[in-house]
Amino acid sequence: MTEFPKNFLWGGATAANQYEGAWNVDGKGVSTADLLLGGTYEKARTFTKNLQPDGYYPSHQGSDFYHHYKEDIKLLAGMGYKTYRMSVAWTRIYPNGDDQEPNQKGLDFYRNVFEECHKYGIEPLVTISHYEMPYHLTEAYGGWGSRKVIDFYVKYAKTLFTEYKDLVKYWLTFNEINIGMMFGGYMSLGLPVKDGAAPFNGNMSDEDIQANMQGLHHQFVASALAVKIGHKINPDNMIGCMIAGNVSYPLTSNPDDILKAQLQNEISNYYCGDVQVRGAYPHFAQRFWNEHNVKLNITAEDQVVLKEGTVDYYTFSYYSSNAVTTDPSKAEAAGNFSQGVKNPYLKYSEWGWSMDPKGLRWYLNDVYGRYGIPIMVVENGLGARDTVEKDGSINDDYRIDYLKGHVEQMKEAIKDGVDLIGYTPWGCIDLVSAGTGQMEKRYGFVYVNRDDEQKGDFSRMPKKSYYWYKKVIESNGEEL
Ligand code: BGP
C-alpha cells in the first residue's frame, strides 16, 4: 500500500508559448506572447508593438517542441508519465481569434501530439489558454476588456472539445487566472499596453485594477460557458480551474500582520477560486471593489452562467510562499520581495523565490478545506542554472532536493485527508521562463541545448533528476 492513490496522475507540464516555437509556421497567427522580448532577473521583459529586427523574442523558437514532439513524448514516457499537461496555442487554431474557420494544420498538429501521448498511455491534460491570446484580439477589441472576446474564446474552446473528444478528457480553462489580481493586464488578459511596457508590472493604479477586474469577469464567464459546453460535448470531460497558489504567511503574530496575510490570501487566491468553484463572488469582493473604485458590469445572466459553469476539479501552481508585514521597519530589515518580505526561516533560489515545501501542504489543506473537490498540483519546480559536465552528465541534485521535499509534503497532505489526484512539475523538458524569458532558468528533467544567445541545436539530454523522477513514479511516490 502506498500513500499516493493507485491511479495517481504523475506527469509534467509545459505551455505552448514557452515551449513550442514555430511561432509563424503552418498558419499560426501572432500571439500576445510573441511580442515579448527576453529579459533577465534584473531587467524586465518588455512588449514591442512591432517586431524589432534584432530583438530576441523567446517564444519564437521556445524549445522547438513543434519539431521535436515525438522525441519529447518518448522521453516523458521513459519516466513513466501517466499524464502530460500542455497548452494549445490559440493562434494555431484561430490565428486572429475572430476567424470564421479554424486552421486545419494547427488542428492536425495537436491531434498528432495527443495521439502520440496515447501511444504510451499518457493522458493529455490541456490548458486552453496559457498566458497568450491572438494579438489581433488585443488590437481590434482590447483583449479581455471586451465582452466580445468571450464569444471568440467559447468558439475556440468548443472547437477543441469537439475535435479532440476522443483524445482529451482533462481540461483547464485558463492558466493562473488569478495573475490578473496581481499584475498589469497584458500578460494574462491581453489588455492593450504602451510600446515598451513591462507585462509583469505589479504596481497597479485603481484604473488598472478596474480594467483587470472587468477583464477577469469576462474570463470567468467564458470559463463557465466553456465548462457547460465541454460537459455537453462529452459528459466524461473533467474541466478545471488553474490558480497561481500564492501562500502568504504573517511575518509576526501581530494581529495586523495576521489580518494582512488573510486579506492577501483572500484577494490573490480565493477571489478567482471562489467564482470558478462556487460560482459566485466571495463576501469580501465588494469591499475590495469599493476601496479601489471598481464598478463592474455583471449582468443577471452572467450570474446564472457562473453558477451553472462551476469546475470539476481545482488545480494550482506552487513554487514558493511569501511573508507579509504591516511594520515598515521590519519590512526594510527583511528585504522586499514582489509579494511580501523575506521569511527568515526559508532559503531562496537564485531568482529570489523562497523554497518552502511545507507551504504546499498548508495550501493543499487550505483549499481542500474550502472547496472539497479533487485537487491537482499542476506546476511546481525549481528554476536553476544547470551545468553540463565534460562527460555530458547534468547533476541537478538541488532540483531533486527541491522536488523531493514537495513530494513528501504532498504525501503528508494525502495523509491529512486531501483528495490529491495528480502532480505535474513545471517545465519537465527545459523551456523559456515566462517571467524573465530566459532559457537559463531551467526547470526540466530533460536538458535542452539552447541558450539566451540563441545558440545550441535543441538536442535533448536527460538530467540526473530524470532517473530520480522515474523511480518516484515507478514506486508511486514511495522511493524518494
Ligand atoms: C507560472 C506559469 C508558467 C511558468 C512558471 C515559472 O507562473 O504558469 O508559465 O513559467 O510560473 O515561472 P518562470 O517561468 O517565470 O520561472
Side-chain angles (χ1 to χ4, degrees):
M1 236 286 276
T2 58
E3 293 300 340
F4 286 92
K6 203 165 102 259
N7 300 324
F8 192 75
L9 291 166
W10 295 100
T14 63
N17 77 83
Q18 293 167 254
Y19 185 43
E20 254 175 32
W23 74 291
N24 59 358
V25 169
D26 291 339
K28 181 182 170 297
V30 178
S31 81
T32 46
D34 292 332
L35 299 174
L36 292 176
L37 287 165
T40 61
Y41 182 33
E42 293 79 22
K43 189 177 162 286
R45 304 186 70 177
T46 49
F47 158 82
T48 67
K49 194 167 158 42
N50 300 305
L51 290 179
Q52 295 177 357
D54 302 325
Y56 168 44
Y57 296 87
S59 71
H60 292 196
Q61 296 196 293
S63 298
D64 200 30
F65 175 68
Y66 197 77
H67 300 109
H68 288 76
Y69 72 91
K70 286 194 179 172
E71 179 186 353
D72 285 2
I73 294 167
K74 192 172 177 193
L75 281 161
L76 303 182
M79 281 183 275
Y81 274 34
K82 315 286 181 217
T83 190
Y84 167 42
R85 173 179 177 232
M86 52 172 281
S87 73
V88 170
W90 188 340
T91 46
R92 255 187 229 295
I93 309 299
Y94 289 105
N96 298 298
D98 57 1
D99 319 67
Q100 283 305 313
E101 297 302 324
N103 169 33
Q104 190 55 44
K105 286 196 170 147
L107 292 173
D108 293 345
F109 171 67
Y110 293 108
R111 173 167 294 277
N112 293 339
V113 168
F114 300 145
E115 282 176 351
E116 198 67 18
C117 287
H118 283 292
K119 237 167 83 179
Y120 298 100
I122 298 175
E123 192 67 49
L125 160 51
V126 175
T127 316
I128 296 173
S129 176
H130 189 127
Y131 281 174
E132 45 106 13
M133 67 194 295
Y135 182 66
H136 173 71
L137 295 183
T138 296
E139 216 170 39
Y141 302 89
W144 281 101
S146 162
R147 225 167 229 282
K148 278 210 175 119
V149 172
I150 299 176
D151 297 338
F152 301 134
Y153 174 90
V154 169
K155 179 172 174 181
Y156 160 56
K158 194 173 171 190
T159 303
L160 299 186
F161 292 137
T162 310
E163 186 73 24
Y164 306 122
K165 185 170 182 265
D166 302 320
L167 292 168
V168 180
K169 195 172 111 189
Y170 290 95
W171 303 90
L172 302 174
T173 53
F174 288 95
N175 180 63
E176 294 191 335
I177 194 166
N178 57 326
I179 284 294
M181 303 300 292
M182 302 170 219
F183 296 102
Y186 182 75
M187 193 77 184
S188 65
L189 293 157
L191 302 181
V193 279
K194 289 204 186 84
D195 218 7
F200 269 113
N201 182 358
N203 300 320
M204 287 196 278
S205 66
D206 279 358
E207 285 77 38
D208 296 333
I209 296 177
Q210 162 72 39
N212 276 28
M213 295 310 114
Q214 188 63 53
L216 262 172
H217 178 70
H218 295 149
Q219 288 192 331
F220 293 148
V221 173
S223 170
L225 287 168
V227 171
K228 287 178 64 173
I229 292 169
H231 284 155
K232 223 193 217 152
I233 294 173
N234 183 0
D236 286 343
N237 271 336
M238 288 278 289
I239 310 171
C241 60
M242 196 310 201
I243 303 285
N246 193 36
V247 172
S248 297
Y249 299 133
L251 184 67
T252 71
S253 55
N254 179 336
D256 289 335
D257 285 2
I258 308 271
L259 280 170
K260 183 170 178 177
Q262 181 179 50
L263 182 65
Q264 192 155 306
N265 285 317
E266 286 177 338
I267 298 300
S268 43
N269 303 325
Y270 305 149
Y271 181 96
C272 297
D274 283 11
V275 178
Q276 293 190 287
V277 181
R278 295 174 161 173
Y281 283 97
H283 71 280
F284 53 80
Q286 189 62 52
R287 179 167 183 174
F288 174 73
W289 295 332
N290 292 346
E291 287 179 356
H292 295 283
N293 297 314
V294 171
K295 292 203 175 44
L296 289 189
N297 173 13
I298 302 175
T299 67
E301 198 189 330
D302 290 349
Q303 285 172 326
V304 174
V305 168
L306 293 180
K307 264 275 175 272
E308 290 174 349
T310 55
V311 293
D312 301 312
Y313 64 119
Y314 180 99
T315 79
F316 68 102
S317 58
Y318 177 79
Y319 293 91
S320 61
S321 64
N322 312 295
V324 298
T325 179
T326 46
D327 179 343
S329 63
K330 283 227 175 58
E332 209 172 299
N336 262 304
F337 283 75
S338 62
Q339 299 282 324
V341 298
K342 192 163 186 169
N343 183 336
Y345 297 98
L346 300 177
K347 292 205 178 88
Y348 286 75
S349 81
E350 260 188 88
W351 275 266
W353 294 19
S354 73
M355 294 184 259
D356 178 20
K358 289 181 180 156
L360 176 57
R361 178 180 175 188
W362 182 89
Y363 192 83
L364 280 164
N365 274 281
D366 189 58
V367 286
Y368 188 63
R370 192 173 183 91
Y371 301 128
I373 58 173
I375 303 189
M376 236 193 252
V377 180
V378 293
E379 284 185 29
N380 171 237
L382 177 68
R385 288 189 176 85
D386 290 329
T387 310
V388 184
E389 304 296 342
K390 283 213 177 73
D391 63 0
S393 62
I394 299 148
N395 300 311
D396 55 343
D397 293 293
Y398 36 89
R399 185 167 293 109
I400 296 174
D401 284 350
Y402 176 99
L403 294 169
K404 185 176 165 204
H406 288 78
V407 175
E408 276 165 358
Q409 293 305 314
M410 291 194 306
K411 203 187 267 191
E412 290 301 318
I414 292 171
K415 283 197 215 167
D416 293 335
V418 173
D419 184 11
L420 180 63
I421 60 169
Y423 178 56
T424 57
W426 178 247
C428 46
I429 294 181
D430 287 345
L431 40 64
V432 291
S433 149
T436 65
Q438 286 167 298
M439 196 67 211
E440 69 173 340
K441 189 183 186 191
R442 296 171 185 272
Y443 287 88
F445 299 111
V446 174
Y447 186 89
V448 173
N449 180 26
R450 190 71 180 171
D451 65 20
D452 293 319
E453 273 71 56
Q454 301 174 70
K455 293 204 189 82
D457 61 3
F458 293 106
S459 55
R460 275 59 172 153
M461 283 178 284
K463 306 178 192 175
K464 191 173 175 182
S465 56
Y466 181 94
Y467 303 100
W468 170 81
Y469 194 45
K470 182 176 157 58
K471 268 205 272 170
V472 173
I473 298 178
E474 245 165 36
S475 65
N476 201 26
E478 285 307 293
E479 222 176 298
L480 298 176

